[in-house]
Amino acid sequence: HRDLHSFPTRRSSDLYEEGLLHSQRAENAEAISVFQEAISLSRKLEGDPNPALPRLYAIQGEVQEAAMQFAAAEEGLRAALAAAHAINGDQHVDTVQTTMRLGMFLAGTARLSEGIATLQKARDLVLKLRGADDSFYTPQVLLEYGWARVRNGQFEAGLASISQAVANRRKNRPGTRYLAIMLEDQAAALIEMGE
């Protein structure tokens, strides 16, 4: 989550770090409570919207999803997207990231069509903003979009997107753990296609 904008206040940052520690320990209830406190404090001190909120809402939503609080998770992820849009508009990487995370959530909770449509928005936007050769945002979005399409039985289109992500990563950041994850997804897609 370090890719979303940094915090305007030290206190919100402290709470964010504390919440991350809880989530890494799978202490989801504690993490959610801390993130909720961070959101309240951030809104009180910095206003609503402010640049800290996309990251806070997004991480809270992801922990709520891990805790199987799906309605709350969706609300948080949609709030993250709304905050990113309110601060920076459509044409910004925070909007790409929060759109991608919402799409991943939808695809992961049996709403594949809606998830794919949301991920496609993230893909179209990142290609417009950063281009196919961007080494950070573009491969993430291509991978998630492709994997959602594979899970929806759209194997060739999904594999094409995953393969684009793999090619990007091999060129820009070879020998990384994330490339290994991409290769696992690529292999899984090929297996689904009988190859």
Side-chain angles (χ1 to χ4, degrees):
H1 306 282
R2 65 192 184 285
D3 44 289
L4 292 179
H5 273 182
S6 59
F7 288 99
T9 67
R10 189 66 212 135
R11 181 77 177 122
S12 292
S13 178
D14 291 344
L15 287 167
Y16 174 77
E17 295 299 333
E18 184 185 335
L20 269 188
L21 203 59
H22 284 301
S23 67
Q24 286 160 2
R25 293 173 177 164
E27 297 165 354
N28 291 332
E30 294 88 342
I32 290 164
S33 175
V34 171
F35 290 133
Q36 285 172 339
E37 185 184 348
I39 287 166
S40 295
L41 188 66
S42 179
R43 289 172 66 183
K44 180 181 171 186
L45 295 179
E46 301 297 328
D48 189 2
N50 75 68
L53 289 175
R55 176 162 62 168
L56 285 168
Y57 279 125
I59 184 64
Q60 178 187 253
E62 288 176 8
V63 177
Q64 286 167 326
E65 181 181 3
M68 293 191 282
Q69 298 175 8
F70 296 125
E74 180 176 351
E75 189 178 324
L77 292 166
R78 289 192 185 279
L81 175 55
H85 187 269
I87 290 293
N88 294 305
D90 275 337
Q91 309 298 304
H92 195 275
V93 290
D94 282 6
T95 302
V96 170
Q97 286 274 303
T98 50
T99 302
M100 180 185 76
R101 288 181 175 133
L102 176 61
M104 289 166 65
F105 167 80
L106 293 167
T109 51
R111 291 156 69 180
L112 271 167
S113 296
E114 193 179 353
I116 288 167
T118 305
L119 286 163
Q120 188 165 339
K121 285 181 189 173
R123 185 201 66 173
D124 293 348
L125 183 57
V126 81
L127 290 173
K128 179 182 175 185
L129 291 178
R130 302 299 292 243
D133 200 41
D134 167 68
S135 66
F136 188 80
Y137 299 98
T138 297
Q140 288 181 2
V141 178
L142 289 172
L143 180 71
E144 297 300 341
Y145 172 71
W147 186 237
R149 300 247 349 225
V150 168
R151 285 165 58 202
N152 203 37
Q154 300 164 340
F155 301 122
E156 289 184 13
L159 181 63
S161 190
I162 293 169
S163 297
Q164 280 181 280
V166 167
N168 177 307
R169 197 71 179 183
R170 275 196 174 126
K171 178 181 175 183
N172 292 308
R173 296 187 186 184
T176 57
R177 181 174 173 273
Y178 196 41
L179 176 58
I181 291 168
M182 290 179 171
L183 290 167
E184 285 182 348
D185 286 353
Q186 190 179 40
L190 288 164
I191 290 165
E192 290 288 345
M193 294 170 72
E195 298 179 23

